[in-house]
Amino acid sequence: MAAGSFRRSIASQLSKVLHLPPENLIKSISAVPVSKKRHVADFQLSVASVIENSSGDCSAQDLHLQAQQLAERLKCDSVVSAISAGPGTVNFTINRELLAKTVLQQVWKDGSEYGVKSELFSTVPRQKAVIEFSSPNIAKKFHIGHLRSTIVGNFIANLKVALGHEVVRINYLGDWGMQFGLLGVGFQSFGNEEKLKSSPLQHLFEVYVQINKAAEDENTKKLAKDFFRKLEEHDEQVLSIWKQFRDLSIKEYTRIYKRLGVSFDEYSGESFYQEKAQEVLKMLEDKGLLQKTIKGTGIVDLSEKKDLSTVSTVMRSDGTSLYITRQVSPSVLLATAIDRMNKHSWDTMIYVTDKSQSNHFQHLFQILKLMGYDWAERCQHVSFGLVQGMKTRRGEVIFLEDVLNEVRSRMLQNMTSTKTTKELQDPVETAEKVGLAALIIQDFRGLLSSDYQFSWDRALQSRGDTGVFLQYTHARLHSLEQMHGNAELTDVNVACLQEPDAVSVLQHLLRYDEVLYRSSQDLQPKHIVSYLLTLSHLAAMAHKTLPVKGSAPDVAQARLCLFHAARSVLANGMKLLGITPVTQM
């Protein structure tokens, strides 16, 4: 890794002066973000992180003095061309030709693995991660609310795979509960086999709307209860209807996931765990954790003082599993977690849902701990906020497919009206990929836990910090390579890459491993999004000021290599986010 070799060289010199092992210093040396001031160093060391007895009591003045004293004891060498002290930091500037040569060679050599081979990850053990995300309710159209869970879960899975972890992607379907009793009765009254086969989710949605009008009718309630009871008793005819609903739903979801570029290793669901949930209730009882209220409801006391100030209800008074939150009972989720550990022997399990379920998962992890499962500490809930204001031209949006169609249609319209748009082989496919990039970048720009206001105009701008701009930059750099022939790294004259705009791109490429490391720690995509947007702006500026056409052959070749490196890293980052880079626009 380019940054790694420079960090090691700086750490080696620092270790002799500070009498600390180089490996203890590496994470304290970070690449400096590119500044509009331009004349910035490439790396800096935070003095507070390495000076013994340095605590919060150290004044800024003391730290600055210590930084100056340390800088004076260090010497420039063949790697470092300048050393200076800043406010509490020691700054290192890398020999400019060595910087260009090392970065370009490393990007070229590592390709799609650039950044992930960094020594920043050397102490991170390779693990097996189970990630549960998306989780729609079967027999219902894919709701827009499931979009965030789907793209966030996909990003986390992509990142973990890129970093060498083994990942199991699970889609845990809402495929059980009383609503199937109602839907079954509705289908018997209003269903049509032809419509079910041609447009399953649309037809089931229409049936559900119709039967819901009669949901309060006592006779309908009784019929729905009977239908669900037969389902629980595995009545062949009823089970066959439910299975048909489930299979057709998964087939339809798979088609939509394909549009999103998302896949799963396993489709699971509440229906798999009904019997195991009863076993879990028995385990809770045997361990003395299940308590009964006066009304006969089953609860688990989660309070520290065991005064019932915090409880989780796990069983109805009639002894059946209680369904809460998104119609999933705690006992079913407990059974699911235990079964997954037995099946996959995972190191970490991540649930990706909206933040309204945070307490629910906190309770789940607490109960598992009380049951004696220490691995509960390795369970994690990644929560996200709500998207507000997502409307199509026809009004408020409910279904994801409407959004995907809308973004594709708007993008196609924008591309058609733009003079710079090339003749495309498949404009609809390109519009789909660019539109999806627009949705993902707008969603990932802030903290996942924040709610945000969706705006079509903001998302689809071709300039500014948008997914469209990322795709445009990638396509532009790709066409530059097509026009001038592919860059060749052999015998590149790196002395031709000393202009400030070239150096800025190189400095930014140095930081990629740190950005990946940060995202791997907190599972927030915003660090990568911010990095890629800056890279695109820097590449656009360099494209303007460093022409390939009309330049001397060695200058043109060096610049072509620089733009190739920028495009390669841009594509890598986009793919992690779940975006397919386009080569024409």
Side-chain angles (χ1 to χ4, degrees):
M1 182 69 213
S5 64
F6 296 140
R7 277 194 212 98
R8 280 194 297 277
S9 181
I10 294 166
S12 173
Q13 194 184 156
L14 281 166
S15 76
K16 290 167 191 164
V17 173
L18 294 169
H19 307 296
L20 289 168
E23 56 272 20
N24 291 15
L25 297 165
I26 281 175
K27 283 190 182 173
S28 301
I29 301 163
S30 57
V32 180
V34 174
S35 161
K36 285 177 184 169
K37 292 175 188 168
R38 288 304 172 96
H39 300 293
V40 294
D42 302 306
F43 289 93
Q44 65 182 24
L45 170 84
S46 164
V47 172
S49 66
V50 295
I51 299 290
E52 270 189 55
N53 305 322
S54 172
S55 63
D57 305 334
C58 241
S59 71
Q61 205 173 351
D62 286 345
L63 285 174
H64 188 50
L65 184 64
Q66 287 177 328
Q68 282 177 321
Q69 288 169 346
L70 180 55
E72 283 164 12
R73 294 168 66 194
L74 298 165
K75 290 183 176 67
C76 294
D77 53 22
S78 59
V79 175
V80 177
S81 60
I83 299 169
S84 62
T89 62
V90 177
N91 305 316
F92 303 86
T93 302
I94 303 298
N95 171 305
R96 285 290 165 252
E97 288 190 18
L98 184 63
L99 172 73
K101 186 181 176 185
T102 310
V103 170
L104 295 180
Q105 279 181 344
Q106 202 72 52
V107 174
W108 206 274
K109 181 174 159 238
D110 290 350
S112 62
E113 292 187 315
Y114 179 73
V116 303
K117 287 184 166 182
S118 167
E119 77 277 355
L120 294 179
F121 297 106
S122 62
T123 56
V124 179
R126 298 289 174 264
Q127 295 185 324
K128 185 173 189 178
V130 165
I131 305 172
E132 180 195 301
F133 62 104
S134 196
S135 307
N137 295 312
I138 72 158
K140 287 186 180 179
K141 284 184 83 172
F142 204 132
H143 195 280
I144 189 60
H146 294 286
L147 174 65
R148 283 203 98 176
S149 174
T150 306
I151 61 176
V152 172
N154 188 49
F155 157 71
I156 294 169
N158 289 346
L159 181 62
K160 290 210 171 269
V161 167
L163 296 173
H165 303 293
E166 186 185 346
V167 171
V168 182
R169 302 165 188 243
I170 295 181
N171 197 342
Y172 187 74
L173 302 169
D175 64 356
W176 205 251
M178 192 56 79
Q179 74 269 27
F180 289 102
L182 199 58
L183 186 65
V185 170
F187 190 74
Q188 287 171 339
S189 309
F190 311 110
N192 177 301
E193 284 291 340
E194 286 306 308
K195 284 183 180 177
L196 182 67
K197 284 191 176 115
S198 63
S199 185
L201 296 186
Q202 181 59 39
H203 182 52
L204 290 174
F205 174 67
E206 288 162 1
V207 166
Y208 199 72
V209 167
Q210 279 183 283
I211 193 67
N212 239 359
K213 291 172 187 170
E216 292 308 306
D217 174 71
E218 287 305 317
N219 188 44
T220 305
K221 275 184 185 175
K222 183 182 179 300
L223 289 170
K225 254 185 174 176
D226 287 348
F227 190 96
F228 186 57
R229 181 180 49 77
K230 285 179 184 174
L231 184 59
E232 289 189 303
E233 289 166 357
H234 297 155
D235 176 280
E236 268 186 43
Q237 191 189 351
V238 168
L239 204 58
S240 159
I241 294 171
W242 170 84
K243 192 175 183 308
Q244 188 183 20
F245 290 170
R246 191 180 192 277
D247 292 347
L248 286 169
S249 297
I250 290 175
K251 193 177 173 186
E252 195 76 348
Y253 292 147
T254 305
R255 185 180 60 78
I256 296 169
Y257 288 131
K258 195 175 177 186
R259 287 184 72 176
L260 292 168
V262 172
S263 62
F264 293 91
D265 300 302
E266 191 179 301
Y267 280 89
S268 175
E270 296 151 42
S271 58
F272 289 79
Y273 294 102
Q274 295 314 302
E275 286 174 20
K276 285 191 166 92
Q278 294 306 313
E279 290 169 22
V280 164
L281 290 174
K282 177 83 171 61
M283 282 166 73
L284 288 169
E285 199 167 7
D286 292 346
K287 288 175 184 288
L289 295 169
L290 187 67
Q291 298 183 37
K292 297 274 178 74
T293 63
I294 299 164
K295 292 178 181 175
T297 309
I299 59 168
V300 175
D301 185 2
L302 300 175
S303 59
E304 276 185 41
K305 294 178 180 174
K306 298 297 169 200
D307 57 2
L308 299 179
S309 55
T310 309
V311 298
S312 178
T313 309
V314 293
M315 190 181 77
R316 285 200 192 98
S317 54
D318 61 3
T320 59
S321 297
L322 179 89
Y323 282 78
I324 59 168
T325 316
R326 47 159 208 164
Q327 257 98 39
V328 184
S329 93
S331 55
V332 169
L333 281 179
L334 289 164
T336 307
I338 295 163
D339 183 64
R340 281 182 193 161
M341 174 49 93
N342 293 337
K343 184 178 176 183
H344 296 293
S345 297
W346 46 262
D347 298 296
T348 180
M349 180 155 66
I350 299 167
Y351 297 87
V352 184
T353 74
D354 72 82
K355 61 186 179 185
S356 69
Q357 296 185 44
S358 293
N359 275 350
H360 181 57
F361 281 101
Q362 205 179 336
H363 286 180
L364 171 71
F365 304 154
Q366 281 179 276
I367 296 172
L368 284 167
K369 248 176 152 174
L370 289 172
M371 291 174 80
Y373 295 114
D374 294 340
W375 47 256
E377 289 179 359
R378 292 184 269 128
C379 293
Q380 188 178 354
H381 178 222
V382 173
S383 64
F384 53 82
L386 302 174
V387 185
Q388 290 144 347
M390 198 174 254
K391 296 178 181 178
T392 64
R393 291 187 178 98
R394 291 175 305 180
E396 199 69 42
V397 141
I398 305 175
F399 303 122
L400 176 61
E401 198 150 26
D402 295 337
V403 174
L404 295 180
N405 293 341
E406 178 91 6
V407 74
R408 182 175 63 192
S409 134
R410 287 190 188 227
M411 205 56 242
L412 202 54
Q413 194 178 352
N414 288 6
M415 283 159 54
T416 310
S417 62
T418 305
K419 289 176 187 171
T420 54
T421 298
K422 305 266 192 306
E423 283 293 319
L424 302 173
Q425 281 182 326
D426 191 343
V428 175
E429 180 70 14
T430 301
E432 175 108 327
K433 287 172 181 168
V434 176
L436 186 57
L439 289 178
I440 289 173
I441 294 300
Q442 178 151 258
D443 196 289
F444 284 179
R445 279 190 63 194
L447 263 177
L448 290 178
S449 57
S450 305
D451 299 340
Y452 77 92
Q453 194 72 27
F454 181 83
S455 157
W456 284 110
D457 292 339
R458 201 167 60 239
L460 298 176
Q461 281 171 0
S462 58
R463 294 284 180 271
D465 293 343
T466 65
V468 181
F469 178 56
L470 290 187
Q471 289 283 32
Y472 175 74
T473 305
H474 185 272
R476 199 177 183 194
L477 293 175
H478 183 269
S479 69
L480 186 72
E481 289 182 62
Q482 296 293 100
M483 200 184 303
H484 298 284
N486 288 333
E488 289 294 335
L489 192 62
T490 48
D491 302 324
V492 165
N493 183 357
V494 288
C496 300
L497 293 175
Q498 302 311 304
E499 299 91 345
D501 287 329
V503 172
S504 289
V505 172
L506 292 164
Q507 285 179 315
H508 195 61
L509 293 175
L510 268 184
R511 290 187 60 235
Y512 188 54
D513 64 339
E514 291 180 13
V515 172
L516 291 181
Y517 183 76
R518 198 168 171 199
S519 273
S520 75
Q521 294 298 294
D522 62 10
L523 302 182
Q524 294 286 335
K526 71 181 186 115
H527 312 304
I528 295 172
V529 169
S530 173
Y531 175 88
L532 296 180
L533 289 167
T534 301
L535 178 59
S536 295
H537 286 296
L538 292 171
M541 180 62 73
H543 186 270
K544 205 179 287 182
T545 61
L546 307 173
V548 173
K549 191 179 178 181
S551 297
D554 59 342
V555 173
Q557 187 63 17
R559 288 175 180 175
L560 211 48
C561 281
L562 178 73
F563 290 126
H564 168 81
R567 185 185 67 79
S568 174
V569 175
L570 178 59
N572 293 348
M574 288 166 78
K575 287 171 190 170
L576 287 181
L577 298 173
I579 297 168
T580 304
V582 299
T583 53
Q584 281 185 307
M585 232 178 110

